[in-house]
Amino acid sequence: MAEVRARCEEEKLRLTPARECVLNALLEAHRAMTAYELLDRLRDEGLPHQPPVAYRALDFLVEHGFAHRIERLSAFVACTHGSDHHAAAFLVCRGCRTVAESKLPAPIRGIEETMSRESFTVERLVVEAEGLCAACAEAGTDTP
Amino acid sequence: MAEVRARCEEEKLRLTPARECVLNALLEAHRAMTAYELLDRLRDEGLPHQPPVAYRALDFLVEHGFAHRIERLSAFVACTHGSDHHAAAFLVCRGCRTVAESKLPAPIRGIEETMSRESFTVERLVVEAEGLCAACAEAGTDTP
DNA sequence: GCATAATTGTAATGTTATAACAGTTCGGCT
DNA sequence: AGCCGAACTGTTATAACATTACAATTATGC
Ligand SMILES: [Zn+2]
Ligand SMILES: [Zn+2]
Ligand SMILES: [Zn+2]
Ligand SMILES: [Zn+2]
């Protein structure tokens, strides 16, 4: 959080109350949260809590690399790697919705050939592995 | 479509009218369609058209590998590779919503180490590249 | 034929996301 | 200090996507 504040100072970004509240919630949760869960948090903090408030804060956080959207969950997590808008892969537990973030250093074999064959311009790459984390696999969340 | 009918015969799957109508729509479209677009199609064909009809047909088609869900679009495409429930990567054009499917032969470098470190069990892998297809890049869909 | 499992029909509801627009605050400029 | 335009906020309304629940029907194996 201190890191984030520093980066905002440095890059002249405005970390307004709603944005800070949303980021704090994500940092504390250590798991993916939906926009509406974040709205609840905003309400608890006495901040305005109509849907656009959360979505605007999330747009800001995602745009500047402080958070990521998890497509599989229609939900959001705090970024666990400092650097700006990097490509990443996510391990998404369907049991507890925790998300582990892994840097994505290498291009993905199999996709580049199709890309070049179709001359497709990639702007964003989504890589999400859905499954069970160690704790949920142990607990048998799949076959209760 | 003939192929699909053959596989259903072989595996004793019931390709009911709603399921067939939805699959036909997807095969003809050559692009991702939402559940509600498919409901319109069902209505046009005189079939029932409440949301669960489309979602149930799509569940069937996805489960048996005849279609894929594109998370980025909350939409669905027909599978362009015959074999059953294979991993795949998708090139998703944000201009025209066409989707190119690429087989995903190799594991993704960078994600396995995190997987094993966290002892995470992967059940499904989502790989979607969002960008512009050649036609849309040409047409300048991004800066109109 | 009869039990069972799979599928269908339908209403109601829940969840996720955006459009639109008036008002306010911020930062740079003169 | 006063003004401008850009960024941001507050709010209402609505669009788009998805599921629950339950009764009714149809297929399949014995
Ligand atoms: Zn990150
Ligand atoms: Zn878990
Ligand atoms: Zn496929
Ligand atoms: Zn296109």
Side-chain angles (χ1 to χ4, degrees):
Chain A
M1 192 67 225
E3 265 186 67
V4 170
R5 242 188 284 268
R7 257 195 60 207
C8 285
E9 192 105 356
E10 187 184 331
E11 301 183 29
K12 305 242 191 276
L13 302 174
R14 292 165 60 188
L15 192 60
T16 59
R19 291 168 179 178
E20 183 164 354
C21 173
V22 167
L23 182 53
N24 254 317
L26 291 176
L27 285 168
E28 288 169 12
H30 296 297
R31 62 175 180 86
M33 295 180 74
T34 68
Y36 283 75
E37 289 175 325
L38 293 163
L39 281 174
D40 289 345
R41 175 67 172 256
L42 285 162
R43 175 166 351 90
D44 294 348
E45 305 279 334
L47 292 164
H49 53 275
Q50 295 78 4
V53 176
Y55 283 102
R56 291 197 280 231
L58 288 165
D59 285 349
F60 171 87
L61 295 172
V62 169
E63 181 175 358
H64 294 96
F66 300 124
H68 299 285
R69 178 184 165 87
I70 304 300
E71 298 295 339
R72 186 61 184 94
L73 299 176
S74 298
F76 302 83
V77 281
C79 177
T80 58
H81 299 103
S83 67
D84 206 359
H85 44 60
H86 51 138
F90 301 93
L91 303 180
V92 180
C93 178
R94 67 171 165 78
C96 59
R97 287 161 59 108
T98 55
V99 174
E101 180 175 351
S102 158
K103 275 186 177 156
L104 199 61
I108 294 175
R109 216 145 73 77
I111 204 174
E112 316 94 327
E113 78 187 279
T114 308
M115 267 170 49
S116 64
R117 174 158 31 82
E118 315 257 351
S119 39
F120 187 94
T121 312
V122 174
E123 293 167 346
R124 181 181 169 220
L125 187 56
V126 174
V127 180
E128 297 172 8
E130 181 186 0
L132 285 178
C133 74
C136 288
E138 186 79 19
T141 307
D142 48 346
T143 51
Chain B
M1 192 67 226
E3 263 185 71
V4 170
R5 241 187 283 267
R7 257 195 60 207
C8 285
E9 192 105 359
E10 189 184 330
E11 301 183 31
K12 305 244 191 273
L13 302 174
R14 292 164 61 186
L15 192 60
T16 59
R19 292 167 178 179
E20 182 165 352
C21 173
V22 166
L23 182 54
N24 254 317
L26 290 176
L27 285 168
E28 288 170 11
H30 297 298
R31 61 174 181 86
M33 295 180 74
T34 68
Y36 282 74
E37 289 175 324
L38 292 163
L39 281 174
D40 290 345
R41 174 66 172 258
L42 286 162
R43 177 169 345 92
D44 294 348
E45 304 280 334
L47 292 165
H49 52 275
Q50 294 79 4
V53 176
Y55 284 101
R56 291 198 279 231
L58 288 164
D59 285 349
F60 171 87
L61 295 171
V62 169
E63 181 175 358
H64 294 96
F66 300 125
H68 299 284
R69 178 184 164 89
I70 305 298
E71 299 295 338
R72 186 62 184 93
L73 298 176
S74 297
F76 302 82
V77 283
C79 177
T80 58
H81 299 103
S83 67
D84 206 357
H85 43 61
H86 50 139
F90 300 93
L91 303 179
V92 180
C93 178
R94 67 170 165 79
C96 58
R97 286 161 58 107
T98 55
V99 175
E101 179 176 351
S102 158
K103 276 186 177 157
L104 200 60
I108 294 173
R109 216 145 71 79
I111 204 175
E112 316 93 328
E113 78 187 277
T114 308
M115 267 169 49
S116 63
R117 174 158 29 83
E118 317 257 351
S119 41
F120 187 94
T121 313
V122 174
E123 293 168 346
R124 181 181 169 220
L125 189 56
V126 174
V127 180
E128 297 174 6
E130 182 186 0
L132 286 178
C133 74
C136 287
E138 186 78 19
T141 307
D142 47 345
T143 52

